[in-house]
Amino acid sequence: MDNISRRSLISAGLGAGLVAALPGAAVAVSTADDAGLRTDPFLLGIASGEPWPDGFVIWTRLALDAIAEDGLGGMPSRNVAVAWEVAEDASMRTVVARGVEQARIETAHSVHVELKGLKPGREYFYRFRTGRHISPVGRTLTSPAPHETPAALAMAFASCAQYEHGYFTAYSRLAQDHPDLVLHLGDYLYEYKKDSYVIGGGNPRDHAGPETVSLAGYRQRHAQYKADADLQAAHAIAPWLVVWDDHEVDNNWADDVPENTDAAQLNDTTEHFRQRRAAAFQAYYENMPLRASSVPAGFDMKIYRTIQWGQLANFHMMDTRQYRDDQLAGDGWQKNVAGRLAEDRTITGAEQEKWLLDGFRNSTQQWDILGQQVFFAERDRNRAPEIDDVSMDGWDGYAASRRRITQGWVDANVRNAVVLTGDVHRNWANDVKVDYKDPASPVVGSELVCTSINSTGNGTGSTTDPTMAWNPHLKFTNDNRGYVNTRLTKDAMTAEFRVLDYVTTPGSPVSTKASFAIQDGVPGMQARQPKNPCAGGRRRRARARRRPPTFPRGSCAHGQTRLRCDSIPSGPVTDARHQNLGENERPNATAAFAPGRGSSHDPGDGPHGRLHGTGEAHGGGKQRPACHRGPRPSGAKLPQVRRPACRDHQRPGTEDARDQLDRGRTRHFGQTEGWQMHALPPDHEKQRRHRGAVKPFR
């Protein structure tokens, strides 16, 4: 294996860098070839984010023990060299950039590589290596060139994942839907210690460690979440744009004001809470695929920014926690709080508000998407017109701030404004107005609210809320867990509310509870007939053929579109590190693999069917499992096998935190040992296949 120096990489114009937030002491270092780590250090997976036309960020963090109490993942007290590669194909044969970075002690052995010099609007694949250990392969994309309008963008968004309240099956289902961009709107993790936030029937899993207040605690908590294989699958399938909400620091914090005054939580003084904030921000940066521009400076960290997707969309990623005024009247739902209407109240702070309004005025894109945290439209719980009963934590508690933002996009003639929201653990679809008290006030935008990944447990499945009767701009609600899939074109934005039947046990199937469309130039929600997620056959294949050839959305049970299984090793699977599912339930959401001879692999059924083996050894006949429910290239033949209906999975028992982590980890596409795969060429008109195993890491 060849070592690639930083100097040769930079001279090639491919700019990459690891950003350390703190100066490092003189410590021992290793090369990527002699890391000296006896076990796999990629327990926390890989990720990418912040796509721009010529690059993106790729991320990993090394750990040998995800829940080590010191938050350092059981790593040795030295820097470790990590090699990385970016290629045009999942087999890693056409490498376009490579380099070596130091995973440093002072940043918990995290690695952030900012790629530049790549081609716009392209799909890329990446991986890492240290010593003999090679990470899974991840898929990512560059955004289109600034002047280009892509045919479509498949974007998913999610929020609110409480590890203790159930399993992260929604993340693996999201990965199986094969988005090209994922937005996470906050509450990526929760700060509570074991048994302090318990759902009915008890928590299926437990947090390790005390409530997060120190840097070690936040690092440990991030690592425990990152070790979850469902979450790893979602990170590996597409680039992410992330913003925090409150639980990444403390429940309902507002600028320098914590939830309570508990000294044990460092909430008793402003100075102590700033120490807690600084620790939370440092750990957040270390564990997210963020640019160097987001490196924290003590208790300040800038995460609001705009990411352009050519001329199709702007994504304005916002921060409604760090700069807001304190919630009024003790927080929570309150009646007739006149102060919430004060003109000087802000949820964004003056600087962020100006940045957003300037972004509206400068926008030439078809869609302006606000990725933010808390409920935006007015939601009054009291029917009586003389009583306002609203949440002090959402935009209702900052009514003037909301009006300025809404009027700002109206005055700037923004073509299509859409607000994306998390936080409330329910799905909602809302029309947005400037004046909610005036029935004649026009609809000027739309709001899509995603439910939680698993926070508060299974949910009731309800699609009713009494407040909708006197809040006519609230068009839909639902109490399931899940996420939202969207598809943006120049003509419309469609949204599918994807929901799970249960989360307190792993393996739930996913379905579409409701579907809405926002037409270009026509603000407001229009309901669509939801499709049967288990439907296959002629209509599904026809839809797949109509999709744009670049980055198709359709997926089989593996989340595949351009990847197909074609050569399978013999023997059983022995490396199945997936803490959520049993041995017959491995939703290898980013893989093109299946077990070998004589086996029938059921990777979680999911919304798109299963992958089946023919029972013949590789090289001895037709050894080609078929992904029946996703799009396939023209002319590709699939064996005729029965398509089973979606069904529930086997439900394994619960374990303690370390047992859950030790049960194993799914191999994602690109893992080398004992696996082979094919990747269809980017040009779908070429029907030749790239055959053979993943290329060894150089």
Side-chain angles (χ1 to χ4, degrees):
M1 300 182 185
D2 298 329
N3 287 323
I4 308 298
S5 70
R6 290 170 64 91
R7 180 173 299 174
S8 65
L9 179 67
I10 293 172
S11 66
L14 292 172
L18 169 69
V19 181
L22 299 172
V27 294
V29 297
S30 66
T31 67
D33 288 332
D34 65 353
L37 304 177
R38 296 190 176 186
T39 58
D40 183 5
F42 295 108
L43 298 182
L44 309 187
I46 57 174
S48 69
E50 303 299 300
W52 55 91
D54 70 339
F56 37 74
V57 173
I58 59 174
W59 170 95
T60 192
R61 179 185 162 198
L62 305 183
L64 304 176
D65 177 5
I67 55 176
E69 291 184 3
D70 64 0
L72 297 177
M75 289 292 292
S77 298
R78 55 182 170 84
N79 298 341
V80 176
V82 178
W84 55 268
E85 287 183 336
V86 174
E88 293 180 342
D89 60 302
S91 301
M92 304 301 293
R93 293 181 171 275
T94 309
V95 174
V96 296
R98 57 166 55 98
V100 178
E101 293 295 337
Q102 292 292 324
R104 300 183 181 277
I105 302 171
E106 57 265 29
T107 54
H109 292 97
S110 62
V111 175
H112 297 73
V113 182
E114 293 190 15
L115 271 295
K116 297 181 181 179
L118 302 178
K119 297 177 181 178
R122 298 296 181 91
E123 183 179 58
Y124 288 95
F125 300 86
Y126 63 97
R127 64 179 175 179
F128 299 88
R129 175 181 63 81
T130 184
R132 61 185 177 86
H133 304 291
I134 300 176
S135 78
V137 170
R139 169 184 176 264
T140 192
L141 295 86
T142 52
S143 61
H147 64 279
E148 294 179 344
T149 303
L153 169 64
M155 181 270 291
F157 67 97
S159 72
C160 302
Q162 217 289 25
Y163 185 89
E164 299 178 299
H165 287 180
Y167 294 86
F168 291 166
T169 310
Y171 281 135
S172 65
R173 300 298 181 233
L174 182 154
Q176 290 163 14
D177 288 346
H178 211 78
D180 295 324
L181 183 67
V182 178
L183 273 60
H184 199 287
L185 303 180
D187 293 347
Y188 185 92
L189 52 71
Y190 282 67
E191 75 275 26
Y192 303 111
K193 66 180 180 181
K194 175 182 175 180
D195 295 332
S196 62
Y197 185 13
V198 181
I199 60 173
N203 289 343
R205 305 193 287 184
D206 293 319
H207 280 151
E211 173 149 340
T212 53
V213 297
S214 66
L215 181 55
Y218 283 111
R219 284 170 167 172
Q220 180 193 42
R221 189 62 50 83
H222 274 282
Q224 185 176 21
Y225 278 59
K226 276 291 200 298
D228 184 278
D230 292 321
L231 176 55
Q232 289 183 15
H235 271 299
I237 198 64
W240 283 39
L241 300 177
V242 299
V243 287
W244 56 49
D245 192 12
D246 53 336
H247 290 290
E248 289 87 349
V249 181
D250 183 40
N251 181 53
N252 280 17
W253 65 283
D255 195 1
D256 287 336
V257 183
E259 176 188 22
N260 55 43
T261 57
D262 186 347
Q265 298 179 17
L266 294 185
N267 290 346
D268 54 331
T269 68
T270 299
E271 181 182 358
H272 285 166
F273 184 65
R274 286 180 172 180
Q275 293 174 12
R276 183 178 184 179
R277 260 181 56 172
F281 291 176
Q282 176 67 22
Y284 188 81
Y285 173 76
E286 291 170 354
N287 286 277
M288 295 295 168
L290 289 166
R291 304 183 195 182
S293 57
S294 292
V295 171
F299 57 86
D300 288 325
M301 180 175 172
K302 183 179 177 181
I303 62 168
Y304 65 84
R305 70 249 188 234
T306 297
I307 292 84
Q308 295 183 356
W309 204 264
Q311 286 297 302
L312 183 63
N314 284 322
F315 292 95
H316 306 286
M317 305 302 292
M318 299 175 63
D319 180 352
T320 62
R321 289 291 167 191
Q322 190 174 185
Y323 313 106
R324 66 157 67 194
D325 293 325
D326 191 16
Q327 296 93 338
L328 293 173
D331 205 355
W333 290 77
Q334 304 293 341
K335 296 178 181 178
N336 292 345
V337 179
R340 75 182 186 91
L341 305 175
E343 287 296 323
D344 61 347
R345 278 186 64 72
T346 179
I347 195 172
T348 62
E351 183 177 336
Q352 184 178 190
E353 181 177 308
K354 181 180 183 301
W355 158 82
L356 185 58
L357 295 178
D358 287 345
F360 293 155
R361 286 188 284 268
N362 295 330
S363 175
T364 60
Q365 276 68 21
Q366 200 85 2
W367 301 89
D368 277 86
I369 312 295
L370 281 65
Q372 60 93 47
Q373 295 77 16
V374 293
F375 210 89
F376 191 82
E378 183 172 273
R379 184 165 48 131
D380 186 352
R381 295 197 308 184
N382 197 298
R383 180 190 292 270
E386 69 275 11
I387 298 176
D388 288 334
D389 185 3
V390 298
S391 169
M392 295 296 103
D393 189 55
W395 287 81
D396 279 336
Y398 306 81
S401 190
R402 174 177 60 199
R403 190 197 68 249
R404 292 192 296 270
I405 298 299
T406 309
Q407 190 66 53
W409 77 58
V410 173
D411 293 344
N413 295 315
V414 167
R415 189 178 183 95
N416 299 288
V418 181
V419 180
L420 305 183
T421 301
D423 182 62
V424 295
H425 307 170
R426 285 181 70 104
N427 290 312
W428 291 86
N430 309 322
D431 291 342
V432 174
K433 298 183 173 187
V434 176
D435 184 358
Y436 293 93
K437 300 303 182 185
D438 180 3
S441 179
V443 175
V444 298
S446 308
E447 180 182 20
L448 297 166
V449 184
C450 65
T451 185
S452 63
I453 289 291
N454 71 335
S455 298
T456 69
N458 291 330
T460 65
S462 170
T463 56
T464 61
D465 188 293
T467 63
M468 297 173 71
W470 56 90
N471 292 275
H473 54 280
L474 306 180
K475 301 299 184 182
F476 167 76
T477 189
N478 161 251
D479 184 24
N480 282 99
R481 308 286 78 83
Y483 55 95
V484 179
N485 279 342
T486 71
R487 180 176 174 83
L488 285 80
T489 69
K490 64 182 181 63
D491 298 320
M493 177 179 182
T494 58
E496 295 181 343
F497 290 90
R498 302 282 280 162
V499 300
L500 276 64
D501 294 344
Y502 50 85
V503 295
T504 52
T505 52
S508 172
V510 68
S511 61
T512 300
K513 179 65 79 171
S515 182
F516 288 85
I518 306 167
Q519 301 298 328
D520 174 41
V522 185
M525 297 289 176
Q526 299 178 25
R528 302 170 70 236
Q529 183 66 29
K531 300 177 180 66
N532 180 357
C534 293
R538 192 176 306 162
R539 285 181 295 175
R540 177 178 285 277
R541 291 194 292 273
R543 288 198 303 273
R545 287 194 293 271
R546 290 197 297 269
R547 292 191 181 105
T550 305
F551 317 137
R553 281 184 68 199
S555 61
C556 68
H558 284 280
Q560 297 168 225
T561 53
R562 297 171 65 186
L563 297 175
R564 285 174 47 86
C565 310
D566 206 40
S567 60
I568 309 299
S570 61
V573 177
T574 58
D575 185 10
R577 245 179 306 173
H578 194 301
Q579 73 271 27
N580 292 351
L581 303 181
E583 63 178 347
N584 294 324
E585 305 173 278
R586 297 174 62 245
N588 202 354
T590 57
F593 311 128
R597 180 181 308 173
S599 65
S600 177
H601 180 42
D602 176 3
D605 291 336
H608 306 298
R610 304 183 197 168
L611 181 66
H612 289 268
T614 64
E616 298 180 31
H618 177 54
K622 296 180 179 179
Q623 175 67 26
R624 184 170 296 170
C627 300
H628 292 284
R629 302 296 177 100
R632 55 188 171 88
S634 173
K637 295 182 179 180
L638 301 177
Q640 299 299 311
V641 300
R642 180 175 64 86
R643 293 174 183 152
C646 291
R647 60 175 174 80
D648 292 351
H649 304 288
Q650 174 186 348
R651 301 180 178 183
T654 60
E655 303 89 1
D656 64 27
R658 195 173 297 275
D659 287 340
Q660 291 160 359
L661 295 176
D662 288 344
R663 285 193 61 192
R665 170 179 166 208
T666 304
R667 283 188 182 275
H668 302 296
F669 59 73
Q671 196 75 15
T672 55
E673 299 175 9
W675 298 96
Q676 292 183 322
M677 61 174 292
H678 294 165
L680 296 179
D683 186 349
H684 283 210
E685 294 180 0
K686 296 178 182 178
Q687 294 304 312
R688 66 182 178 84
R689 293 199 181 104
H690 299 293
R691 299 189 176 274
V694 177
K695 188 174 182 180
F697 209 116
R698 292 186 60 188

